[in-house]
Amino acid sequence: GPAGPAAPLPPLPELSRGGYALAGATIHTPGRTPFVGTVVVDAAKGTIVDVKEGDEKPRSADGLQVIDLRGRHLFPGLIDAG
């Protein structure tokens, strides 16, 4: 039969208004096949600074808080419409 529900993921940490790197998520962007990578965000400006495929840490992430998003899906630029 079908497998049971997946174990819940731990909650995300509170984020500062500085910058941070969202690492290890499956990233969905328009016109591309989803891939695992890192999205670097400048929270103070509300902008995405960089998107990198794979395990390579973007240089723009140096010194930033890294949030582990392995097992989660990320849709950069998608706005909460709720």
Side-chain angles (χ1 to χ4, degrees):
L9 294 167
L12 292 172
E14 287 294 319
L15 299 175
S16 67
R17 292 295 300 162
Y20 45 91
L22 305 172
T26 299
I27 301 169
H28 300 265
T29 59
R32 286 189 67 181
T33 302
F35 60 93
V36 174
T38 300
V39 175
V40 179
V41 177
D42 181 337
K45 293 180 182 175
T47 59
I48 295 170
V49 176
D50 201 356
V51 178
K52 283 281 192 210
E53 188 170 349
D55 293 332
E56 181 184 349
K57 180 181 163 188
R59 279 183 277 171
S60 57
D62 288 346
L64 298 181
Q65 179 181 4
V66 176
I67 309 299
D68 182 2
L69 292 183
R70 286 178 291 182
R72 298 181 188 247
H73 292 260
L74 187 60
F75 296 80
L78 184 66
I79 299 170
D80 179 6

